[in-house]
Amino acid sequence: MSEKSINILDVVNLPLDIKEHEKAVEENIPSVKEGNLKIYNPDGDNVKKLLTLLKAKLSRQVVGSMVGCVHCGMCTESCHYALARPDDPTMAPAYKADQIRRIFKKHFDWTGKIVPWWVHAGDPKDDEELNRLKNIVFGTCTGCRRCTLNCPMGVDTATLIRLTRGLLAELGIVPEGVFQVSRDQWETGNQMAVSEEDYLDTIEWMEDESQDELEDPSLKIPIDKEDCDFMYTVNPREIKYDPRSLGAAAKIFHLAGESWTMPKWGWDMTNFGLFSGDDKLGGFVARNLYEAAKRLRARRIVISECGHGYRSSRWEGYNWGKYKQDLPSESVLITLIRYINEGRIKVDPSKNSLPITFHDSCNIARSGDLTEEPRWLLHRLCTDFREMHPNRADNFCCTGGGGALSMVEYKPLRMEVAKIKADQLTATGAKVVCTICHNCIDGLTDVIKHYKLDMKVVQILELVENALVLPEK
Ligand code: SF4
Ligand code: SF4
């Protein structure tokens, strides 16, 4: 442990009664003051309801992480919050998880019944304390799972954080941004509330642009076409803010001679349920996607560049939606590798000559095991690839994970702890950072802007588009 590290004894000796610890937390997390209490479901005894909800969520995985922590402190050095605030024990992953663990211990574990003082068992007293819990689980963790991977006891702190978020979401005690994005995804089927008209207009616009660029009017972005090789699903950010990636994908799929379609409904592969902890929302969104592919008899689902969308659509959504996992799905990275391997598209790396580094998205690398595939592509797409350290499953979060971008009240803290990411980016000496996640684009852009780094962010689709060698007419 480095000299500046948190002494784990500070963490285990903290008075874990939230009320008693109020002052210390407020001093250490200035931004929690800004996350004021706002209950979207002001109905009944929330503390009592929280206990009932918690009981229903006690799966084997959850209980294992509740009882497994021995407070060794090894996870502390994994967390960018704790690393950026070495003198602040409330940033330690174990401390954050202890806030739900103490409730579990009081009601569901024998240690809390026999020696409650020893295991710091206790309840939140009122809504104000639930609000404090909200500020800890939403405001001081991006659910990146770096601590999870570094726990010798197999404790999944990120799961406990998500579980607590889900309990609070059921009570309506969530940051305003989380409430709004969740509502939008429930009401419109996509988390940016893009209307069907805007969705179709954007696709038509990108179709026109791509036709012009390739001088080929036969290029199409098919909608609701049946029996295609794959159904392509995107992040609403691609429709609402930056449709260039859709245009790039359309050109690449066209040049590869692909049989593909986009669905009119069920096109959002992101899933705010992963961030809010709301499994019902997660199931609703994922089912929309799977049902669309089934309705169109697509042979597989291809997921555009998005970390949490990839994790939700490919793995978690089936569980949330209680849906039989019988439809293959893949990241667009795999599709691109297939095209290059099969000679369906040709790329020239000299067209991307600036020094490029790569940011592994937490949900794709750590939680999705796609680490070598982006590198395989990058080695063929640019001439000066520079590895970031640490990398792959050990990479640091872009700082915008876990829905953090939607929670503006916590941004000052997020930018403060982003120093870890800024230093990591700077050390590469690269002028460009490539990522394969729309969320990471925004997270990294915030870091670059805040720390005034001389760097820009690109995506793989953009690099492929730029490197394309067009066939002779
Ligand atoms: S979560 Fe794991 S690494 Fe962290 S203090 Fe507990 S046992 Fe140690
Ligand atoms: S999941 Fe990531 S941000 Fe959250 S406590 Fe663990 S390391 Fe820190």
Side-chain angles (χ1 to χ4, degrees):
M1 218 180 243
S2 71
E3 222 176 287
K4 288 191 81 187
S5 300
I6 293 170
N7 180 350
I8 193 58
L9 290 177
D10 291 343
V11 178
V12 291
N13 289 334
L14 279 173
L16 289 180
D17 176 272
I18 296 177
K19 202 80 178 173
E20 280 177 43
H21 198 51
E22 184 169 329
K23 196 163 164 285
V25 173
E26 285 198 354
E27 278 167 5
N28 287 319
I29 318 173
S31 55
V32 302
K33 290 180 196 157
E34 288 146 39
N36 291 327
L37 175 62
K38 185 164 182 183
I39 299 180
Y40 292 93
N41 180 18
D43 175 27
D45 182 342
N46 285 314
V47 173
K48 201 167 153 200
K49 275 200 264 174
L50 181 103
L51 294 175
T52 311
L53 293 167
L54 175 59
K55 190 175 178 188
K57 294 253 181 190
L58 294 179
S59 63
R60 190 164 55 170
Q61 183 197 14
V62 167
V63 172
S65 291
M66 289 285 194
V67 300
C69 179
V70 293
H71 291 95
C72 67
M74 284 182 70
C75 55
T76 304
E77 294 208 346
S78 307
C79 179
H80 58 286
Y81 283 89
L83 288 170
R85 285 192 157 199
D87 302 321
D88 180 353
T90 66
M91 293 294 137
Y95 173 81
K96 299 170 201 172
D98 275 352
Q99 307 315 310
I100 187 71
R101 197 174 272 126
R102 65 196 286 273
I103 304 171
F104 167 83
K105 295 234 165 177
K106 167 131 195 234
H107 294 276
F108 306 107
D109 189 50
W110 63 270
T111 56
K113 296 191 194 307
I114 296 173
V115 280
W117 47 271
W118 189 44
V119 294
H120 303 291
D123 272 332
K125 305 275 180 304
D126 50 26
D127 288 347
E128 284 297 335
E129 290 198 0
L130 290 178
N131 187 49
R132 182 156 305 283
L133 186 60
K134 173 198 84 178
N135 288 328
I136 291 169
V137 295
F138 284 99
T140 69
C141 173
T142 57
C144 74
R145 297 187 72 241
R146 198 165 187 271
C147 56
T148 298
L149 231 65
N150 286 289
C151 172
M153 303 302 290
V155 171
D156 193 342
T157 293
T159 287
L160 298 188
I161 297 288
R162 181 176 180 272
L163 167 103
T164 312
R165 287 181 173 201
L167 301 176
L168 293 169
E170 287 253 358
L171 302 176
I173 301 176
V174 289
E176 191 172 347
V178 171
F179 173 76
Q180 282 172 355
V181 179
S182 302
R183 184 196 54 200
D184 286 346
Q185 207 164 21
W186 271 118
E187 287 181 0
T188 66
N190 70 84
Q191 61 167 278
M192 290 189 183
V194 177
S195 68
E196 186 172 297
E197 192 187 358
D198 285 347
Y199 172 68
L200 295 175
D201 279 354
T202 305
I203 288 176
E204 199 182 320
W205 170 37
M206 280 302 106
E207 186 178 87
D208 290 346
E209 292 264 320
S210 307
Q211 285 178 354
D212 289 349
E213 284 171 31
L214 289 188
E215 295 174 7
D216 185 349
S218 70
L219 182 153
K220 296 282 173 222
I221 302 184
I223 300 288
D224 265 0
K225 191 172 161 195
E226 295 177 341
D227 298 307
C228 289
D229 272 353
F230 66 74
M231 179 183 90
Y232 189 54
T233 58
V234 293
N235 182 315
R237 183 184 179 278
E238 296 181 73
I239 304 296
K240 193 157 180 170
Y241 296 115
D242 190 0
R244 288 175 307 163
S245 52
L246 178 57
K251 278 193 264 180
I252 295 164
F253 297 161
H254 176 73
L255 290 170
E258 189 58 81
S259 142
W260 67 295
T261 190
M262 293 181 75
K264 200 189 260 183
W265 169 257
W267 53 267
D268 182 2
M269 52 70 169
T270 68
N271 198 320
F272 211 72
L274 179 67
F275 296 154
S276 68
D278 182 349
D279 291 350
K280 287 183 207 152
L281 174 61
F284 165 72
V285 177
R287 269 197 310 274
N288 285 341
L289 192 82
Y290 307 145
E291 286 295 337
K294 205 167 170 180
R295 174 171 55 83
L296 298 174
R297 296 190 298 276
R299 282 182 277 285
R300 79 184 91 183
I301 297 172
V302 170
I303 303 158
S304 154
E305 294 176 87
C306 178
H308 92 276
Y310 177 70
R311 179 173 162 195
S312 304
S313 305
R314 188 157 157 75
W315 315 116
E316 314 273 11
Y318 290 98
N319 296 326
W320 298 327
K322 300 188 178 30
Y323 204 92
K324 190 162 173 269
Q325 193 165 2
D326 53 3
L327 196 66
S329 58
E330 68 185 23
S331 159
V332 71
L333 287 190
I334 305 298
T335 319
L336 295 170
I337 290 173
R338 193 161 55 241
Y339 293 163
I340 294 176
N341 262 335
E342 293 174 0
R344 291 164 70 179
I345 58 169
K346 291 207 169 7
V347 284
D348 174 3
S350 70
K351 294 187 176 186
N352 292 312
S353 57
L354 283 175
I356 298 181
T357 190
F358 180 66
H359 162 79
D360 288 276
S361 152
C362 303
N363 283 313
I364 292 182
R366 204 156 26 248
S367 296
D369 202 28
L370 281 185
T371 54
E372 303 318 307
E373 293 80 354
R375 288 169 175 80
W376 187 97
L377 281 166
L378 281 162
H379 284 299
R380 285 159 182 80
L381 293 174
C382 63
T383 48
D384 186 358
F385 172 62
R386 301 177 182 192
E387 198 62 86
M388 190 184 294
H389 296 282
N391 54 53
R392 297 176 166 82
D394 209 28
N395 190 27
F396 284 105
C397 178
C398 69
T399 75
L405 296 167
S406 66
M407 306 174 218
V408 286
E409 60 270 56
Y410 307 126
K411 190 170 177 188
L413 177 63
R414 181 163 71 84
M415 287 298 97
E416 182 191 328
V417 302
K419 185 174 184 314
I420 303 296
K421 192 75 220 177
D423 289 348
Q424 203 193 4
L425 290 168
T426 307
T428 65
K431 295 284 173 214
V432 178
V433 54
C434 175
T435 184
I436 47 177
C437 170
H438 278 271
N439 206 70
C440 294
I441 292 176
D442 288 338
L444 293 171
T445 303
D446 279 350
V447 178
I448 289 169
K449 200 168 153 202
H450 187 84
Y451 287 93
K452 300 184 176 51
L453 308 184
D454 180 19
M455 198 175 249
K456 68 168 187 165
V457 192
V458 299
Q459 294 172 264
I460 283 273
L461 277 167
E462 201 177 327
L463 290 180
V464 174
E465 181 191 28
N466 207 35
L468 278 174
V469 179
L470 297 178
E472 300 266 330
K473 285 276 179 202

